[in-house]
Amino acid sequence: MKLYDCQMAPNPRRARIFLQEKGLDIPKREIDILAGENLEDDYLAINPFGLVPVLELDDGTFISEVPAICRYIESQHPEPNLMGTDPVETARIESWERYAEMNGMQAAGELFRNMTPALDDRGLPGMTGIERIPALVERGKRRLAHFYAQLEDRFAQSEYLAGDRFTLADITALCVVDFATFVKQGIPEGNENTKRWYEAVSARPTAAV
Ligand SMILES: N[C@@H](CCC(=O)N[C@@H](CS)C(=O)NCC(=O)O)C(=O)O
C-alpha cells in the first residue's frame, strides 16, 4: 500500500494517525498542494476529486476520502478496533466522525482558504477558478465557535467523542482542533471538558504524525 500524503494538511493527518494506531508504517508520496500538484493531470488520474489523501493498494486500486480509506484498512487490520464493534457503535462513530469533518474541518478550512493569499483562485479544495471571499473568514470563525460549543456539551457527557473509548471520530476531531488552533481558533477558555479530552488524545504517541 502507499499513501498520497501532504504533511502540512489536516485531512491526510487523519489517515496517518489511523495507520499509526493500527501499527502500520506504509510508504508515502508527498503531494505539494500549495504548488498545485494535486490539480495536475497525473494526480487527477489517481483522484479526480483533486484531494489528498489517497490510499493506493498493491493491485493498483485507489481509494479516496479518509473514512473510506479507514474502512478498508480496518477491514484488513481489525485490531485495535477504531470504527465500531456492533451496528449501533459503528453508526455512532460514523455520525460523530462526519459531524467533526463537516462542521469542524470544513469550518476551519473555510477560514484558512479565504484568508490565504497563496490560495487565490482556489477558494475550494481540489479546483481552481473559485475566488476567495473575505467574508467567509468571519463565517468560518463563527462556525468554529458553534462547533466548539457542541464539542464542550458532548465532552461534558462523554469521555471520548463517540463514547467511552478512542475511535476514528476522535482522530478527526483532534485534527480539526489542531488545524483550528493553527488559524488562531484554539479551544475557547473555559471549555474544560474539551481541554481534558484534548490533553488525553494529543498525548497518544500517534498524534505526533
Ligand atoms: N473529504 C475529504 C477531504 C480531503 C481534503 O479536503 N483534503 C485537502 C487537504 S487537507 C486537499 O486535498 N486540498 C486540496 C486543495 O486545497 O486543492 C477526505 O475525507 O479525504
Side-chain angles (χ1 to χ4, degrees):
M1 293 192 294
K2 178 161 75 179
L3 188 74
Y4 292 78
D5 193 8
C6 179
Q7 275 289 327
M8 54 151 285
N11 284 295
R13 184 172 175 231
R14 293 158 66 199
R16 287 199 307 274
I17 294 176
F18 192 89
L19 285 162
Q20 289 287 120
E21 289 281 343
K22 294 287 185 182
L24 299 172
D25 185 15
I26 67 170
K28 306 196 173 58
R29 188 179 135 194
E30 181 73 7
I31 301 296
D32 188 342
I33 293 180
L34 282 184
E37 198 180 347
N38 59 307
L39 303 174
E40 289 170 7
D41 288 347
D42 285 358
Y43 190 76
L44 293 176
I46 289 168
N47 182 7
F49 306 159
L51 302 175
V52 283
V54 163
L55 183 71
E56 181 176 357
L57 306 186
D58 293 341
D59 70 358
T61 301
F62 296 114
I63 303 175
S64 59
E65 295 295 311
V66 174
I69 291 170
C70 295
R71 178 70 62 207
Y72 174 79
I73 292 167
E74 180 120 319
S75 75
Q76 303 301 303
H77 301 272
E79 299 298 335
N81 178 285
L82 293 166
M83 297 183 76
T85 55
D86 62 57
V88 171
E89 192 198 26
T90 301
R92 195 169 55 234
I93 293 167
E94 186 168 336
S95 171
W96 279 108
E97 202 279 332
R98 282 175 62 83
Y99 174 76
E101 176 172 357
M102 291 192 291
N103 295 278
M105 191 65 86
Q106 290 182 5
E110 177 170 275
L111 202 176
F112 172 70
R113 303 194 78 84
N114 289 288
M115 68 182 271
T116 304
L119 293 174
D120 251 347
D121 205 37
R122 293 179 63 188
L124 287 169
M127 61 182 90
T128 52
I130 308 287
E131 76 279 19
R132 286 190 295 127
I133 302 173
L136 291 179
V137 175
E138 192 51 41
R139 193 178 79 168
K141 288 181 190 169
R142 287 200 217 144
R143 287 179 72 188
L144 277 174
H146 187 63
F147 176 72
Y148 274 129
Q150 289 186 312
L151 276 195
E152 182 62 10
D153 287 349
R154 176 62 179 162
F155 290 130
Q157 301 161 13
S158 181
E159 188 175 354
Y160 291 97
L161 194 52
D164 60 5
R165 70 186 186 93
F166 179 84
T167 68
L168 175 59
D170 297 291
I171 294 175
T172 295
L174 169 66
C175 293
V176 172
V177 170
D178 285 338
F179 185 35
T181 303
F182 172 72
V183 289
K184 301 195 170 15
Q185 307 300 312
I187 299 170
E189 279 302 314
N191 286 19
E192 298 305 328
N193 293 296
T194 307
K195 287 184 182 167
R196 181 259 309 148
W197 162 85
Y198 179 77
E199 274 172 30
V201 293
S202 57
R204 297 173 78 88
T206 56
V209 299

